[in-house]
Amino acid sequence: MEAIKQLILATAPEAVLEEKAHLTVTVAPDDLRALATALKNDPASRFDFLIQLTGVDEGENFSVIYFMTSTDDMTRQLVVKTYTTDRENPVLPTVSDIWGTALLNEREVFGFLGIRFIGHPDMRHLFLTERWKGYPLRKDYDASREANPVDVTSYPMSDHSETWVKGKDGIQHEKIQLFEEDDYVLNIGPQHPATHGVLHFRTALDGEIIKKIDVNCGYIHRGIEKLSEGLTYPQILHFTDRLDYLSAHINRHALCICVEKAAGIEVTDRTEVIRTIMDELTRITSHLLSWATMCMDMGALTAFIYGMRDREKIMDIFEETTGGRLIQNYNVIGGVMADLHPDFQRKVKAFIPYMREKLKEYHQLYTGNVIAVNRMIGVGVLSKETAISYAVSGPVGRASGLSCDLRKIMPYSAYGKVEFKEIVRHEGDCMARYLNRLDEIEESLHILEQLIDAIPEGEYCVKTKPIIRLPEGEYFQRVEAARGEFGVYIQSRGDKTPWRLKFRSPSMALVSVMDTICRGAKVADLVTIGGSMDYVIPDIDR
Amino acid sequence: MKSIYTYIKSVLNGIKSLLTGMSVTIREFFTKKVTEQYPENRATLYVPERYRGVLVMPHDENNEHACTACGICEMNCPNGTIKVLSKMIEPEEPGGKPKKVLDKHLYDLGMCTFCNLCVISCPSNAIIFENSFEHSLYTREKLKQQLNKEGSKLREKKKPQA
Amino acid sequence: MFDFSIVTTWVDQFLRTYLPEFWVLAIEFVVVGVVMLALYAVIALVLIYFERKICAFFQCRLGPNRVGPYGIFQSIADMLKMLIKEIIPINHTDKLLFYLAPFFVVVASFLTFGAIPFGNGLQAFDFNIGVFYLLAVSSLGVIGILMAGWASNNKYSMIGAMRSGAQLVSYELSAGLSLLTMVVLSGDLQLSTIIEKQSDTWFIFQGHLPAVVAFVIYLIAGHAETNRGPFDLPEAESELTAGYHTEYSGLQFGMFYLAEYLNMFIIASIATTVFLGGWMPFHIGGLDGFNQVMDYIPSVVWFFGKAFALMFLSLWVRWTFPRLRIDQLLHLEWKYLLPINMVNLLIMVGIVLLGWYF
């Protein structure tokens, strides 16, 4: 860490270093790009993995927080902060050419805080329409209905984007054409069977071959981060299940850990083990659904039904203990909502051999199938470099050879006590991603096997204060959700509500690489790649 | 010659993989089906007791409930599903203080996200989630329910709580 | 074996005794036409039910089970729904082609349907170039699909139609060549003669390996021509929503739907006729007792039994495999099926020349 500090002070002498939960560097906007380049390229730091980028309205100024880690050692983390005091016309330099993650994230910050990033190649709103008045995440935002009345007029989508560059006479903006004049642009989405939700790909085609994809998100954006600013922590919990509803339990777990750590609440061993078991069951359901929908996208409807049928078994187990099937509402701050159902252990134990049997069937039905193999091998290759640049993690990142399983790297809950393999493949194609998921189901079953008989006795939930206030500060928690790294960032000012809360969604990273890996593929491949990436739209549109 | 050999081999391998897949589906063709015959199996349908279907306020045989109209559930609800309206009643014996009692406990099923916060925060266990699940109605207005029954009143504290 | 031509000849003679030739022919054409149309619709309804039920069983479901016992009236209910549904008029379409396309598809399949021998003496018309006729008219359907895709003025439809064109034209080759292989064996193009020649042994058993190979290739190519199963690229619901018929609604969509199911039946019937002896019963040389028992089963039952067995196979394939990609589809045809078919045809010619068949 000392070497990194020296590096920071050598590149940006005016930077302010603070030792908080993570090393935090506050740097002036002018030094940002130099510092970012140095941090990424210096062999001692090699911060090549920008986990997330968050804009915060701090009151008198806007700050953007870059949370980064290194693929050499994922436990090495650094927070870089920059700020602008100009509330009227805030501008900051872009880092999108240094980390691909910034491409979509800076657009999000632009839409919600109105900060323009100089040099960003495509400065459009990501989630809101161009006609939206005001910037929702600013504290002085007018949220009344009159400011943005409901409008049912259909406006054509613009084929142009903007970029802002520093010229001789200050900052100028340039118009950018998204597609060429005679491009055959196919709208895949917002209502399309293969996008698994309301996602919109504007796809430029050359015959069947994809030339470019322009991703449009935000069709179901619910403003969860903004809503959270007015709610208490236990109330915010119910949103987490609605982000990536397929790994509902894991998302909720992340927020619970974050709040518990910040408030200094110790949970019992029993809670930890229960949460871990539930996490793994959730992971299995998620991967099963992913397998099923991927097969369906490729035309094998029967496989889809088999996947859903077996997923239903876990849903029944969930329902008995948590009272919910998809949205479980099970984790609470300090523990879990209710104790395990008396039948829980027996049912999980019966499920493990059943699932193993079914996995064999899946492989027979689909993995070996010559049509499926030909459609998956070598299709949509995501290189390790691209994966790192765009901060792609989870089964997809691991299929590209990036070892990024947070359960192994920084074990939380009971993951330190169990042994399991991290599934890493190096091909980076659809087949590798597909196999990774099936192998991860196998590993999850293995974890369940170790834990199901070793649930310690004790309280399932510790008593907490009726009103939870987090001490002033910034808290960040990363967990391994089914689709990759899920993060919760809380900035607290000592209130019972957070000042700013940000969810780092794994699906956003997955969607941001779609353009890169789909180019040159065919329309049918887009569907296969989409299935193998397995993004969940509500996770992107928080 | 070798290319012809690999060509034929690839054809045969392909056919073999297809037949393996077909053997799986034909096996499933004869296994027991998993479809739930829903309206017919209502009597035998198993709904776990923790399933959160709809918020109710249990009343006992004397038409009494446990709600003190404290409003904690309303405060805890993340999206304003619950409205607790209270009224003041004149004391029975002269000189006593006027008492705040429940007038209407309004619950909007259409808004509810079933997060269970109201139930776990209720100090007097007055509301619970019941596991009925057939909630379809013709108008959204009907989803707005009043949980306390007409003429019901607060259960006396002396009674032992279950 | 009951010969249905006794009935038809009797009716013909009966009419001729009372009416002049023109009226006899007119009445016969109308009656045959109506019967065929009715049969066409009924077979489609049965097939839709058949497919939904079988698909459900492959998928661990029960399938339609609400309308009537075991849901047998489900497809009738669906048909009624389809008939009374509104046809949504769409702006910016090429109106003439748009409305014409479904008829084209249906007419093409109906023309093929007419030439199929359903039983002993039950054949509407029996050309001396029967097989050639079947191939010629069954490939007319692609024009309707191309028209639908073009006229819809929808990008999905357009891609679907273009895929369909490439696919049908390619697979027509394989279908044709594999039928040609059997024509070499039979030495005749007339369907009735082809069936007649299979009275002892079906062609698939007569022709050794080449016949089996031709049979398999015909099934694959036929499957591809019906746009079903792993070859449903023109509609590919997960990629192109509904492909060439995205913009169609109501009865117009119903016609595409009808033609799709009938095409499946037609392919199965042609395969039955050419490879599996049509309505001929299953005979084993030397076992006279067994053969006589087989003869008691009516020819219509034999025909439909075989056709439905082949359709079951087609459904089994459809509900097991994922869809091919367009380039893989063309690879399969041009790199695998076509060369194998050519070699197969040559082998068959050799076998016939040497007289090695049964």
Side-chain angles (χ1 to χ4, degrees):
Chain A
M1 251 6 213
E2 279 310 310
I4 295 169
K5 279 183 194 169
Q6 278 166 15
L7 172 75
I8 293 165
L9 289 175
T11 7
E14 280 154 34
V16 183
L17 277 86
E18 287 167 286
E19 287 280 4
K20 292 185 187 166
H22 310 289
L23 182 65
T24 307
V25 187
T26 312
V27 69
D30 294 339
D31 293 339
L32 176 72
R33 285 184 55 82
L35 180 66
T37 321
L39 284 172
K40 190 190 172 192
N41 296 334
D42 191 88
S45 58
R46 276 192 54 76
F47 284 112
D48 49 1
F49 197 89
L50 180 66
I51 304 168
Q52 71 164 30
L53 184 161
T54 316
V56 184
D57 181 358
E58 304 261 20
E60 62 277 13
N61 57 8
F62 295 123
S63 61
V64 174
I65 298 161
Y66 304 82
F67 198 92
M68 58 189 83
T69 183
S70 164
T71 47
D72 292 347
D73 173 10
M74 281 270 196
T75 54
R76 193 194 297 158
Q77 298 166 60
L78 179 73
V79 180
V80 175
K81 242 184 184 183
T82 189
Y83 53 85
T84 168
T85 45
D86 184 0
R87 282 189 75 93
E88 284 305 306
N89 208 0
V91 285
L92 281 176
T94 181
V95 291
S96 59
D97 51 338
I98 302 168
W99 294 291
T101 326
L103 275 171
L104 286 193
N105 277 292
E106 286 183 350
R107 282 176 61 186
E108 183 185 341
V109 173
F110 168 56
F112 287 157
L113 281 165
I115 303 173
R116 290 201 163 77
F117 290 88
I118 308 291
H120 189 286
D122 180 9
M123 204 77 257
R124 276 178 296 162
H125 287 190
L126 181 62
F127 293 126
L128 298 170
T129 63
E130 299 293 330
R131 276 166 294 279
W132 194 268
K133 291 189 193 70
Y135 297 101
L137 281 179
R138 288 189 183 180
K139 291 290 175 185
D140 53 7
Y141 170 67
D142 176 16
S144 66
R145 191 161 282 190
E146 291 74 42
N148 282 292
V150 177
D151 186 0
V152 291
T153 329
S154 169
Y155 295 102
M157 282 186 91
S158 170
D159 282 341
H160 293 93
S161 176
E162 291 178 337
T163 183
W164 297 75
V165 285
K166 223 171 207 156
K168 266 174 276 170
D169 4 299
I171 296 156
Q172 299 163 332
H173 98 256
E174 285 170 12
K175 222 172 187 190
I176 289 178
Q177 205 168 358
L178 291 173
F179 300 105
E180 283 163 38
E181 275 308 315
D182 51 353
D183 270 349
Y184 191 75
V185 182
L186 185 69
N187 281 303
I188 296 185
Q191 301 295 337
H192 188 275
T195 55
H196 301 186
V198 271
L199 183 65
H200 185 181
F201 291 127
R202 283 201 282 172
T203 317
L205 294 179
D206 177 15
E208 285 253 351
I209 296 164
I210 294 166
K211 279 163 78 182
K212 183 185 175 168
I213 292 181
D214 176 38
V215 181
N216 284 284
C217 316
Y219 286 91
I220 52 163
H221 199 282
R222 295 148 295 175
I224 283 180
E225 286 168 11
K226 179 72 183 172
L227 284 172
S228 302
E229 288 175 10
L231 294 177
T232 63
Y233 294 102
Q235 287 178 334
I236 295 168
L237 274 181
H238 90 289
F239 285 135
T240 53
D241 289 22
R242 288 162 173 84
L243 295 168
D244 174 358
Y245 46 80
L246 295 174
S247 45
H249 206 277
I250 310 178
N251 297 348
R252 207 171 161 103
H253 191 174
L255 183 55
C256 282
I257 301 180
C258 193
V259 175
E260 280 156 10
K261 270 190 188 165
I265 299 166
E266 287 271 329
V267 297
T268 60
D269 285 350
R270 183 176 175 82
T271 309
E272 297 283 30
V273 172
I274 291 175
R275 283 178 174 179
T276 312
I277 290 173
M278 288 297 189
D279 279 5
E280 288 314 304
L281 281 173
T282 312
R283 200 179 309 279
I284 295 172
T285 59
S286 169
H287 284 350
L288 270 179
L289 191 96
S290 160
W291 177 81
T293 49
M294 182 176 179
C295 295
M296 182 184 67
D297 284 346
M298 292 166 69
L301 269 172
T302 305
F304 170 74
I305 305 264
Y306 292 171
M308 294 302 264
R309 176 193 63 191
D310 301 331
R311 176 171 174 265
E312 201 69 5
K313 304 259 176 205
I314 308 181
M315 298 305 237
D316 288 343
I317 296 175
F318 274 152
E319 195 184 3
E320 262 192 343
T321 291
T322 69
R325 294 170 70 79
L326 191 65
I327 309 290
Q328 291 132 12
N329 281 311
Y330 189 52
N331 280 321
V332 291
I333 294 163
V336 290
M337 189 83 83
D339 206 358
L340 291 177
H341 192 272
D343 278 349
F344 181 80
Q345 273 162 300
R346 185 177 58 79
K347 287 198 170 163
V348 172
K349 267 189 253 175
F351 173 76
I352 295 169
Y354 172 83
M355 193 61 230
R356 291 226 162 98
E357 197 57 42
K358 289 296 163 190
L359 275 179
K360 271 186 214 138
E361 190 180 290
Y362 294 169
H363 283 300
Q364 276 179 3
L365 175 67
Y366 206 75
T367 315
N369 188 309
V370 65
I371 302 173
V373 166
N374 280 331
R375 283 201 58 183
M376 291 194 286
I377 284 187
V379 170
V381 178
L382 174 66
S383 68
K384 192 177 175 185
E385 292 69 42
T386 320
I388 293 171
S389 169
Y390 284 86
V392 174
S393 52
V396 179
R398 290 193 283 279
S400 299
L402 173 63
S403 165
C404 56
D405 195 334
L406 293 172
R407 297 175 291 172
K408 266 264 188 270
I409 294 163
M410 25 195 344
Y412 52 94
S413 284
Y415 285 113
K417 290 183 226 154
V418 290
E419 67 99 12
F420 63 100
K421 282 204 295 284
E422 181 181 2
I423 313 286
V424 178
R425 280 188 167 73
H426 296 275
E427 296 86 354
D429 56 1
C430 290
M431 192 68 180
R433 297 193 273 268
Y434 166 89
L435 287 174
N436 257 16
R437 291 218 171 78
L438 288 183
D439 288 354
E440 279 190 16
I441 294 180
E442 181 65 48
E443 287 308 311
S444 293
L445 290 175
H446 186 52
I447 296 175
L448 284 178
E449 231 169 18
Q450 297 169 51
L451 288 179
I452 195 65
D453 279 325
I455 304 174
E457 291 298 317
E459 287 286 308
Y460 61 87
C461 186
V462 293
K463 275 257 174 280
T464 52
K465 280 182 224 151
I467 291 170
I468 298 165
R469 284 174 206 278
L470 296 196
E472 195 172 334
E474 289 165 50
Y475 309 96
F476 191 69
Q477 179 62 40
R478 308 154 68 190
V479 300
E480 182 71 21
R483 266 155 207 79
E485 185 177 329
F486 181 81
V488 179
Y489 167 85
I490 297 176
Q491 184 171 355
S492 170
R493 302 221 161 162
D495 284 333
K496 60 181 181 177
T497 60
W499 178 260
R500 171 84 169 97
L501 181 136
K502 156 99 180 167
F503 293 113
R504 190 265 181 202
S505 69
S507 300
M508 181 108 129
L510 298 177
V511 138
S512 63
V513 292
M514 282 299 276
D515 182 31
T516 320
I517 63 174
C518 284
R519 286 191 185 196
K522 304 201 170 47
V523 179
D525 291 334
L526 170 70
V527 174
T528 318
I529 295 169
S532 72
M533 299 302 262
D534 186 30
Y535 37 75
V536 166
I537 316 301
D539 194 22
I540 307 167
D541 295 354
R542 284 146 285 142
Chain B
M1 206 54 213
K2 194 159 175 265
S3 65
I4 294 178
Y5 173 72
T6 47
Y7 177 86
I8 293 173
K9 203 176 149 198
S10 73
V11 172
L12 292 179
N13 277 339
I15 293 172
K16 194 182 148 218
S17 77
L18 297 179
L19 291 179
T20 324
M22 286 171 77
S23 73
V24 172
T25 40
I26 199 72
R27 213 164 49 228
E28 295 284 355
F29 191 82
F30 295 107
T31 52
K32 202 169 165 288
K33 306 298 171 236
V34 292
T35 310
E36 298 247 353
Q37 304 245 47
Y38 164 58
E40 287 87 354
N41 70 355
R42 278 172 84 182
T44 55
L45 201 61
Y46 169 62
V47 182
E49 67 272 23
R50 291 183 192 173
Y51 174 72
R52 295 185 294 277
V54 61
L55 190 68
V56 293
M57 183 179 287
H59 289 62
D60 60 11
E61 63 278 7
N62 303 328
N63 201 15
E64 288 174 340
H65 56 74
C67 180
T68 57
C70 64
I72 289 181
C73 51
E74 184 180 349
M75 227 161 63
N76 269 285
C77 183
N79 56 353
T81 304
I82 297 173
K83 293 266 176 308
V84 180
L85 303 178
S86 54
K87 61 183 174 192
M88 305 304 272
I89 50 167
E90 291 304 311
E92 283 161 22
E93 63 247 41
K97 275 190 274 180
K99 239 167 55 178
K100 190 172 99 171
V101 293
L102 181 67
D103 180 20
K104 279 177 184 164
H105 191 287
L106 299 174
Y107 167 69
D108 185 355
L109 181 57
M111 288 274 285
C112 185
T113 57
F114 308 100
C115 68
N116 214 16
L117 279 179
C118 49
V119 175
I120 51 174
S121 66
C122 181
S124 40
N125 294 327
I127 41 177
I128 55 163
F129 269 107
E130 190 197 59
N131 49 24
S132 70
F133 58 93
E134 289 157 328
H135 299 313
S136 41
L137 291 165
Y138 282 104
T139 57
R140 226 176 267 181
E141 278 307 302
K142 286 188 187 160
L143 289 171
K144 292 181 180 156
Q145 302 164 359
Q146 183 181 338
L147 296 190
N148 55 323
K149 289 180 190 157
E150 277 310 310
S152 62
K153 57 178 196 277
L154 181 66
R155 190 180 299 138
E156 291 300 316
K157 268 282 162 59
K158 281 169 254 167
K159 286 182 187 169
Q161 290 246 334
Chain C
M1 199 120 247
F2 181 72
D3 189 348
F4 285 96
S5 59
I6 298 171
V7 184
T8 46
T9 328
W10 182 80
V11 172
D12 184 47
Q13 306 247 295
F14 176 77
L15 287 173
R16 272 169 205 279
T17 48
Y18 295 102
L19 291 165
E21 166 122 10
F22 172 78
W23 285 108
V24 172
L25 283 180
I27 289 174
E28 281 174 1
F29 282 162
V30 169
V31 168
V32 169
V34 168
V35 168
M36 291 303 264
L37 265 181
L39 193 64
Y40 189 85
V42 168
I43 288 179
L45 290 183
V46 171
L47 274 182
I48 291 169
Y49 176 72
F50 183 68
E51 155 141 57
R52 292 182 64 174
K53 210 68 186 174
I54 282 179
C55 140
F57 270 65
F58 276 125
Q59 298 180 344
C60 268
R61 299 185 284 119
L62 289 174
N65 63 351
R66 299 280 132 173
V67 191
Y70 301 102
I72 51 172
F73 298 126
Q74 181 68 53
S75 42
I76 294 173
D78 282 351
M79 181 194 71
L80 287 176
K81 180 200 75 174
M82 200 78 93
L83 286 177
I84 58 175
K85 256 181 136 172
E86 181 189 0
I87 293 175
I88 300 165
I90 297 162
N91 297 336
H92 313 298
T93 54
D94 186 332
K95 289 279 185 303
L96 176 71
L97 292 185
F98 187 77
Y99 290 120
L100 207 58
F103 292 100
F104 236 94
V105 175
V106 168
V107 166
S109 79
F110 190 67
L111 281 176
T112 329
F113 185 73
I116 291 168
F118 295 101
N120 193 358
L122 270 187
Q123 190 176 5
F125 46 95
D126 187 16
F127 285 132
N128 57 354
I129 51 157
V131 174
F132 179 69
Y133 169 81
L134 285 181
L135 282 174
V137 293
S138 68
S139 48
L140 283 179
V142 66
I143 300 175
I145 290 176
L146 281 173
M147 271 160 64
W150 176 257
S152 294
N153 194 10
N154 174 318
K155 288 172 182 171
Y156 286 119
S157 304
M158 184 68 194
I159 296 176
M162 288 300 139
R163 280 183 180 185
S164 177
Q167 176 180 339
L168 293 191
V169 170
S170 310
Y171 278 82
E172 201 65 40
L173 273 173
S174 276
L177 275 177
S178 49
L179 286 184
L180 195 62
T181 314
M182 301 321 287
V183 170
V184 168
L185 182 61
S186 73
D188 208 319
L189 285 166
Q190 194 163 8
L191 289 175
S192 55
T193 326
I194 288 178
I195 295 173
E196 220 42 65
K197 289 204 171 164
Q198 304 184 64
S199 58
D200 290 334
T201 340
W202 301 347
F203 273 168
I204 192 167
F205 302 125
Q206 278 187 34
H208 305 287
L209 196 62
V212 178
V213 173
F215 178 63
V216 172
I217 291 179
Y218 183 74
L219 284 187
I220 296 173
H223 207 88
E225 276 193 66
T226 51
N227 290 338
R228 291 171 61 77
F231 308 106
D232 56 350
L233 290 98
E235 22 188 302
E237 78 280 347
S238 58
E239 298 153 27
L240 303 179
T241 56
Y244 60 89
H245 56 61
T246 307
E247 298 287 1
Y248 284 90
S249 51
L251 192 58
Q252 289 176 330
F253 168 73
M255 283 190 176
F256 282 115
Y257 200 56
L258 193 73
E260 181 188 325
Y261 279 91
L262 251 293
N263 280 335
M264 179 167 82
F265 175 74
I266 288 165
I267 294 296
S269 327
I270 297 177
T272 306
T273 311
V274 177
F275 295 93
L276 302 180
W279 44 263
M280 280 291 173
F282 183 63
H283 283 171
I284 300 174
L287 289 176
D288 286 336
F290 176 79
N291 291 349
Q292 267 177 0
V293 173
M294 289 288 137
D295 281 343
Y296 278 114
I297 303 171
S299 56
V300 179
V301 173
W302 273 110
F303 177 81
F304 280 99
K306 288 174 199 172
F308 271 82
L310 287 182
M311 279 186 289
F312 178 79
L313 192 67
S314 143
L315 291 177
W316 185 4
V317 167
R318 173 173 187 182
W319 293 108
T320 304
F321 299 142
R323 186 181 306 120
L324 282 97
R325 204 169 62 203
I326 183 73
D327 57 329
Q328 290 164 353
L329 181 94
L330 298 179
H331 273 203
L332 174 67
E333 165 63 21
W334 296 98
K335 284 195 176 165
Y336 292 93
L337 296 186
L338 194 65
I340 293 174
N341 224 335
M342 297 278 204
V343 174
N344 196 40
L345 180 62
L346 285 180
I347 296 173
M348 183 55 105
V349 170
I351 285 177
V352 172
L353 283 179
L354 293 168
W356 280 355
Y357 57 94
F358 296 111

